[in-house]
Amino acid sequence: MKTLYAVWIRIDETLPWIELKETYQTKNEGRKAAKAALNNVEVRIVAMPEKRKQIKALATIRQ
């Protein structure tokens, strides 16, 4: 039975762990994939009024 590795990343301690879609044959392949995913993360900075309604955050990572 062959061991495959899944990659889980966590951006911040307030966010849940996110599992990448692929599985990898070695830990090094998984580590490289995680670094590639993090290098391709899209970041948006948005202005928010001081008094605001609570919003639902959605984090996605594309590979």
Side-chain angles (χ1 to χ4, degrees):
M1 187 171 181
K2 202 176 214 182
T3 301
L4 293 176
Y5 296 92
V7 176
W8 290 73
I9 59 173
R10 189 160 134 178
I11 308 299
D12 187 312
E13 63 187 32
T14 62
L15 296 173
W17 286 93
I18 301 167
E19 182 178 359
L20 300 183
K21 289 182 181 180
E22 302 292 324
T23 55
Y24 302 94
Q25 304 233 349
T26 65
K27 287 183 179 181
N28 283 336
E29 286 179 10
R31 185 172 285 114
K32 288 177 186 176
K35 286 182 181 182
L38 291 173
N39 285 336
N40 293 321
V41 169
E42 182 179 333
V43 176
R44 292 184 184 171
I45 309 298
V46 296
M48 297 189 66
E50 208 167 302
K51 291 185 178 181
R52 64 181 190 256
K53 293 181 182 178
Q54 192 170 8
I55 60 172
K56 187 175 183 179
L58 175 65
T60 60
I61 294 182
R62 297 181 197 163
Q63 249 186 320

